[in-house]
Amino acid sequence: EYSIDSTRPSLVYSVAGAFSTGSYAHPAGFKLRMSPDVAPSSIQVTAQDVFTATPTTVRVKVRNLSLADASDVRVRIYDGDPAAGGALIGNEMVIPLLPREQEAEVSTPWTTTVPGPRMLTVVVDPANTLAETDEDNNILTQSVDVHARLDLEGTVSLSGTTLLGNQELRIDSSIENVSTNAALGILRDGRLEVVIEDALGNVVARL
């Protein structure tokens, strides 16, 4: 809220929507009220690849686009469209104070059991408790691919149970993804190491 009187330079709001410095002569003076304008500016999932049943974190940045401070800015993050039954992720978060033309970040843990493409939806001021200059920029969405978690199982078989001098022992090993869901679209470099120990538990070879 800005006060404008006839005795000292003040902020004058022009017809074009810009602020200028000057004096305004008015017998009684008047006050110019400014409203905040909060909007989500970005959504980020901290994990490079998101897997089912694996916790990750969703970070959201909210910006105040106005020249007026905003208090008690409430933020909700949904898995899906809240208007179509999307599930709230975590709890509603509150930014106590978001100064004018500033940005703040909120975050919440997220674990999903459903693989496939997902849509995250951020809603700022979901109950419309703030009187804003723009009520149409409070929602932001972002698609996220959720992959079925890898469930690897390894097996090793030997051609014998003892290894004497100048003898060979055949070692066969395999890795299988025994997950009930196919982990599609994810390629990972891995390493399979076979460790050979003697009867005392000493490592004699690594393959």
Side-chain angles (χ1 to χ4, degrees), residues 54-83:
T54 304
T56 186
T57 301
V58 181
R59 302 185 186 277
V60 171
K61 290 184 178 181
V62 180
R63 187 166 185 82
N64 185 356
L65 304 172
S66 173
L67 292 175
D69 297 342
S71 301
D72 295 329
V73 180
R74 299 183 179 273
V75 183
R76 295 178 186 176
I77 307 176
Y78 291 88
D79 180 359
D81 183 355

Side-chain angles (χ1 to χ4, degrees), residues 13 24 26-27 29 35 45 48 51 55 62 65 69-70 76 100 103 135 139 145-146 158 173 176 186 188 190 207:
Y13 191 66
Y24 185 86
H26 191 281
S35 297
V45 180
Q48 180 180 356
F51 290 90
V62 180
L65 304 172
D69 297 342
R76 295 178 186 176
R100 63 181 188 175
E103 197 170 55
E135 299 286 357
I139 297 177
D145 289 328
V146 178
L158 305 176
S173 60
E176 180 183 2
I186 295 294
R188 282 288 183 266
L207 306 177

Side-chain angles (χ1 to χ4, degrees), residues 4-205:
I4 300 178
D5 57 37
S6 59
T7 60
R8 57 184 178 178
S10 310
L11 290 172
V12 177
Y13 191 66
S14 68
V15 176
F19 279 96
S20 58
T21 302
S23 298
Y24 185 86
H26 191 281
F30 67 89
K31 292 183 177 181
L32 176 64
R33 295 182 181 274
M34 293 294 298
S35 297
D37 181 17
V38 293
S41 57
S42 69
I43 306 173
Q44 180 186 17
V45 180
T46 57
Q48 180 180 356
D49 297 307
V50 181
F51 290 90
T52 56
T54 304
T56 186
T57 301
V58 181
R59 302 185 186 277
V60 171
K61 290 184 178 181
V62 180
R63 187 166 185 82
N64 185 356
L65 304 172
S66 173
L67 292 175
D69 297 342
S71 301
D72 295 329
V73 180
R74 299 183 179 273
V75 183
R76 295 178 186 176
I77 307 176
Y78 291 88
D79 180 359
D81 183 355
L88 178 66
I89 300 175
N91 300 312
E92 182 179 82
M93 295 163 287
V94 180
I95 303 173
L97 176 64
L98 186 54
R100 63 181 188 175
E101 297 185 314
Q102 296 298 311
E103 197 170 55
E105 182 180 275
V106 295
S107 63
T108 186
W110 178 41
T111 302
T112 180
T113 58
V114 182
R118 316 293 300 167
M119 184 181 69
L120 299 181
T121 303
V122 175
V123 182
V124 176
D125 189 27
N128 288 324
T129 57
L130 298 176
E132 299 183 73
T133 57
D134 186 352
E135 299 286 357
D136 296 326
N137 60 356
N138 289 355
I139 297 177
L140 182 66
T141 62
Q142 179 171 305
S143 61
V144 177
D145 289 328
V146 178
H147 307 276
R149 184 178 61 178
L150 294 173
D151 189 1
L152 301 180
E153 186 176 276
T155 59
V156 176
S157 61
L158 305 176
S159 60
T161 57
T162 59
L163 181 61
L164 302 177
N166 296 322
Q167 284 188 335
E168 291 185 354
L169 182 67
R170 180 182 176 87
I171 302 175
D172 294 315
S173 60
S174 65
I175 297 179
E176 180 183 2
N177 180 14
V178 296
S179 173
T180 56
N181 296 309
L184 301 177
I186 295 294
L187 297 177
R188 282 288 183 266
D189 293 330
R191 179 185 178 190
L192 174 64
E193 184 179 49
V194 178
V195 179
I196 300 176
E197 299 177 348
D198 61 19
L200 299 177
N202 300 312
V203 176
V204 296

